Amino acid sequence: MRIARFTAGEEPMYGVVTGEVDEFGQPSEDTVIVAIAGDPLYLGVKLLDQEFKLEDVRLLAPVLPRSKVVGIGRNYAAHAAEMGSDVPAEPLIFIKPNTSVIGPGDPIFYPSQSSNVHFEGELAVVIGRICRDVPVEQATDVIYGYTIGNDVTARDLQKTDVQFTRAKGFDSFCPLGPWIETDLDPQTFADGVQIQTHLNGDLKQDGSTSDLIFDIPTLIAHVSSVMTLLPGDVILTGTPAGVGPMEIGDEVEVSIAGLGTLTNKVAQR
């Protein structure tokens, strides 16, 4: 099912998206959100007698990571090559603070410290329970679902700082959305799912998750061998080739087949 977090003008709520939605997230006229009680990560899905048309609500980030967003660097060979880097021997991990998370339609704020901010469209994994040292073969047990992420990066700061914290950690540098899809298996992405990024309508990234160097179970096993993962934590799985700069006023759309489209505009901070 598709789990969304949204507001109808009051307090944020969670709901189940029902009705027809095409592979890139465009809803039909009968698409609605049925509200559920509380946070489904902790309370399960308990439907309420409240229904909203999708067009009448504002979608929010579908998950607020309880502690962290874990990024994976250079997990597509073509992206590593375009950055002039070698493919890592094991997953390269970094942390984005949970304060970097925004939702669909929220502005990506361009910081004054940078003059070269890039988009990086990515598949995002949402963790469903507390876990540590997860074996590869049990990785599916800790996955709640999948959403779309944009690992926004101040490329000039990444180069000068060497490590990634500042370049990837600014407020608004982790758009997530539009919802969480809970009914997919990691093998779906191993077999290949299209991921595209458009900037102002122009196609910039066009890759497939079949090109992931380290697959999703391997990433979960590796990250959880280093740190405890909590419900709502997010793992960004890496970006295909084609990353590039965004300017103030630009609109970036990241689309993943079966998950939808995440759209954000760039604004002056």
Side-chain angles (χ1 to χ4, degrees):
M1 69 182 72
R2 291 185 170 100
I3 303 292
R5 182 170 164 268
F6 68 97
T7 178
E10 299 178 352
E11 292 295 316
M13 305 176 67
Y14 291 88
V16 176
V17 180
T18 65
E20 293 298 322
V21 177
D22 71 20
E23 67 172 355
F24 285 126
Q26 297 303 314
S28 64
E29 293 182 357
D30 65 344
T31 301
V32 298
I33 296 180
V34 180
I36 57 182
D39 187 339
L41 272 168
Y42 301 97
L43 300 176
V45 176
K46 301 177 182 179
L47 296 176
L48 300 175
D49 189 22
Q50 292 178 274
E51 188 174 285
F52 303 86
K53 288 186 177 180
L54 189 59
E55 62 189 27
D56 294 336
V57 306
R58 182 168 73 91
L59 293 176
L60 307 173
V63 62
L64 292 177
R66 187 171 179 178
S67 65
K68 56 193 170 291
V69 176
V70 182
I72 305 296
R74 305 201 302 263
N75 201 24
Y76 287 79
H79 172 60
E82 73 178 349
M83 300 305 295
S85 302
D86 295 330
V87 172
E90 59 182 358
L92 173 63
I93 64 177
F94 58 89
I95 298 291
K96 293 173 81 82
N98 57 9
T99 50
S100 67
V101 172
I102 58 172
D106 290 338
I108 298 168
F109 289 116
Y110 205 115
S112 60
Q113 297 95 321
S114 176
S115 60
N116 191 20
V117 175
H118 283 209
F119 55 81
E120 294 190 9
E122 309 202 6
L123 171 67
V125 181
V126 181
I127 299 300
R129 62 181 178 86
I130 298 174
C131 58
R132 182 180 177 188
D133 293 325
V134 180
V136 169
E137 59 273 14
Q138 294 178 19
T140 56
D141 296 343
V142 306
I143 298 172
Y144 185 74
Y146 301 89
T147 190
I148 301 170
N150 185 352
D151 177 21
V152 180
T153 304
R155 196 69 71 198
D156 47 358
L157 301 183
Q158 183 183 27
K159 183 177 180 180
T160 58
D161 291 358
V162 182
Q163 55 86 32
F164 295 173
T165 303
R166 182 167 65 138
K168 293 176 175 285
F170 283 99
D171 290 355
S172 80
F173 269 29
C174 189
L176 296 174
W179 39 62
I180 299 170
E181 174 58 71
T182 64
D183 294 333
L184 292 173
D185 185 273
Q187 188 59 42
T188 302
F189 303 104
D191 290 340
V193 170
Q194 187 178 34
I195 175 170
Q196 295 183 329
T197 302
H198 289 81
L199 185 70
N200 300 324
D202 296 329
L203 181 63
K204 298 296 184 180
Q205 292 183 282
D206 189 6
S208 172
T209 58
S210 63
D211 295 327
L212 285 166
I213 296 169
F214 302 105
D215 64 14
I216 292 167
T218 298
L219 295 179
I220 291 173
H222 182 76
V223 174
S224 68
S225 74
V226 178
M227 63 192 75
T228 299
L229 294 170
L230 303 180
D233 281 354
V234 172
I235 298 176
L236 300 176
T237 59
T239 193
V243 301
M246 304 180 292
E247 303 295 339
I248 294 169
D250 285 349
E251 181 177 80
V252 58
E253 297 175 299
V254 183
S255 301
I256 299 180
L259 296 183
T261 297
L262 171 64
T263 303
N264 300 89
K265 287 188 175 183
V266 184
Q268 180 68 54
R269 183 174 180 180

